[in-house]
Amino acid sequence: KNAKEMKSLHTLFNLFYPSICLCCEQHLLDQEKIICIECRFDLPFIDNGDFTSNLLSLTLEGRVLIEKGASFLYYHPIGKVKKLLHQLKYKNNQEVGSFLGKWFGQQLLETSQFREIDYIIPVPLHKKKLKKRGYNQLTKFGKCLSNILDIEYLENVLIKTSTNKTQTLKKRIERFKNLTTNFSIVNTAILNNKHVLLIDDVVTTGATLEACCKELLKAENVKISIITIALTE
């Protein structure tokens, strides 16, 4: 009887929360999570080289000085990475952030890089957007990196002070115009003489990261490294 009840509950659970791959929508096997093994190996991974001269650092070259940078995946307008990040940002599927955070965190741990970091700081959402969405899509990702790399996760030190229309609807030049004074540090002293790791989901022009870095650099003798889930190719 108990076994039958459990099976019925399991069937009912799967009816409302089907275990399907977020990329190809095929049913997941018991040991698979979020995406199937086939899609996992099919994701467009980025080779970050020595973490100081790569696509992410080149995007910001001549604009802000960073110590190290790493992006996990290439982002394309159509593709598996877009599906994953859409689930994370707009469908309240925060487990995608945990999944990617654990995966990327383990890879970073194996490289012996990012060992000298004091704080992990997420690119913040404006409080209105945070209230509407209900969560920052970077929180689970950042906290998983924090646990694996043993670095403190610091929210609410860097805040967004003004809101603007969604980035995807703007032309590239408009992004730069609108992202010059959008961020503020609540407590500059806490970042003095520290090495911070700024994290974001997707890099397109790098304008958001540049604006955040310029604000963080108001702290005395601060160093900045950057990690993003994806980077537009």
Side-chain angles (χ1 to χ4, degrees):
K1 185 180 178 181
N2 287 338
K4 284 184 179 179
E5 284 176 355
M6 289 299 293
K7 190 175 181 180
S8 296
L9 284 170
H10 184 69
T11 304
L12 191 64
F13 183 82
N14 280 336
L15 182 64
F16 291 103
Y17 303 100
S19 297
I20 60 168
C21 173
L22 295 182
C23 293
C24 68
E25 298 182 0
Q26 296 297 311
H27 281 281
L28 293 175
L29 301 175
D30 286 343
Q31 67 271 28
E32 295 174 334
K33 289 184 177 180
I34 306 296
I35 60 173
C36 67
I37 295 295
E38 191 174 338
C39 285
R40 183 171 172 139
F41 284 101
D42 197 38
L43 290 174
F45 298 104
I46 294 176
D47 179 5
N48 288 293
D50 62 0
F51 295 96
T52 57
S53 179
N54 53 35
L55 282 172
L56 180 59
S57 55
L58 284 172
T59 302
L60 296 167
E61 195 173 34
R63 290 152 67 181
V64 287
L65 182 66
I66 65 169
E67 303 295 314
K68 294 178 181 179
S71 294
F72 193 28
L73 304 163
Y74 286 111
Y75 179 90
H76 299 115
I78 298 171
K80 294 178 178 180
V81 177
K82 182 180 180 179
K83 286 183 179 180
L84 282 174
L85 292 181
H86 185 80
Q87 284 285 327
L88 176 60
K89 288 181 77 168
Y90 305 113
K91 299 294 183 181
N92 198 17
N93 196 338
Q94 297 181 67
E95 289 310 305
V96 173
S98 298
F99 172 74
L100 293 172
K102 288 172 187 173
W103 191 2
F104 199 11
Q106 286 295 340
Q107 290 198 9
L108 293 173
L109 193 66
E110 289 168 15
T111 67
S112 300
Q113 300 289 331
F114 303 95
R115 289 283 176 90
E116 306 301 318
I117 305 289
D118 297 294
Y119 300 118
I120 295 173
I121 296 178
V123 169
L125 290 179
H126 189 271
K127 60 183 179 182
K128 286 183 179 177
K129 184 173 276 188
L130 184 61
K131 187 176 180 181
K132 185 178 179 182
R133 187 178 292 172
Y135 63 101
N136 184 332
Q137 70 272 15
L138 294 169
T139 300
K140 290 284 184 81
F141 176 72
K143 286 184 175 178
C144 283
L145 288 181
S146 170
N147 290 335
I148 292 168
L149 301 176
D150 195 24
I151 301 167
E152 186 177 349
Y153 185 71
L154 207 60
E155 280 185 305
N156 305 318
V157 168
L158 181 67
I159 61 167
K160 191 163 187 183
T161 53
S162 58
T163 183
N164 46 286
K165 292 178 183 177
T166 180
Q167 292 290 301
T168 53
L169 301 177
K170 294 185 175 182
K171 293 178 182 177
R172 292 170 78 94
I173 194 72
E174 289 174 334
R175 294 181 186 178
F176 289 102
K177 286 179 181 176
N178 284 302
L179 285 165
T180 50
T181 56
N182 273 4
F183 301 94
S184 178
I185 303 179
V186 173
N187 182 354
T188 307
I190 198 173
L191 303 181
N192 288 347
N193 304 304
K194 300 296 184 183
H195 188 171
V196 302
L197 181 64
L198 181 66
I199 61 169
D200 202 2
D201 49 10
V202 184
V203 185
T204 49
T205 64
T208 301
L209 290 173
E210 181 184 356
C212 287
C213 286
K214 284 181 176 177
E215 189 61 29
L216 291 170
L217 286 167
K218 290 179 181 178
E220 204 173 300
N221 195 35
V222 70
K223 292 180 180 178
I224 302 170
S225 289
I226 296 175
I227 281 177
T228 73
I229 296 173
L231 183 145
T232 304
E233 194 174 17

